[in-house]
Amino acid sequence: MARSATVAWRTSPRPRNVVAGAAAPWDGAEGRRQRRLSAVNASSLARNFVAAGMDVVIADVLNGETLPVYRVSLDSLLVVHLHVAYGHARDRATGRPVYLTSDEFAMLHREQELTSGVDLWLDTTELSVEETAERLLATWTGE
């Protein structure tokens, strides 16, 4: 059932809210700790918005450590992996601001391929934004 408002929250592989001492996920134990903390914080915000009667969408690059955080922290969770073939992902990324090196981008893409336990795996390689949104909405609303 749709609520009166929807909140979208986007996390990032590179911490942008940590003023000093930010560590990327591939920066050892501290990077993994901050990535997990990001999932904990996103879950906390989501619970607050849901309690206020809003639907919540969290966009995150999940892995085997962060997905369980969301599963334990949030009720009625729908986890969707939006897959895109690596070459297409690189092409799409070239038109956006660059925050990752080529090696970091490749590592995150490989990591996504290894993450299991999602509710819906959707290959968006050949889908338009509108087609992707239609399929997500149909899954979310159960239509």
Side-chain angles (χ1 to χ4, degrees), residues 35-97:
R35 188 174 191 182
R36 186 178 184 288
L37 179 60
S38 177
V40 168
N41 287 336
S43 295
S44 180
L45 284 170
R47 283 191 308 274
N48 292 338
F49 285 121
V50 168
M54 299 176 190
D55 287 324
V56 178
V57 175
I58 301 171
D60 196 353
V61 180
L62 299 177
N63 67 8
E65 293 179 14
T66 55
L67 179 54
V69 171
Y70 289 110
R71 288 272 185 227
V72 168
S73 302
L74 299 171
D75 297 326
S76 304
L77 180 66
L78 172 66
V79 178
V80 179
H81 173 112
L82 297 177
H83 172 78
V84 62
Y86 181 76
H88 283 83
R90 288 293 315 156
D91 291 346
R92 290 178 186 178
T94 58
R96 299 177 181 152

Side-chain angles (χ1 to χ4, degrees), residues 13-37:
R14 286 214 180 259
R16 294 199 177 104
N17 297 325
V18 178
V19 177
W26 44 86
D27 289 338
E30 182 58 18
R32 288 189 306 278
R33 186 186 76 79
Q34 289 184 23
R35 188 174 191 182
R36 186 178 184 288
L37 179 60

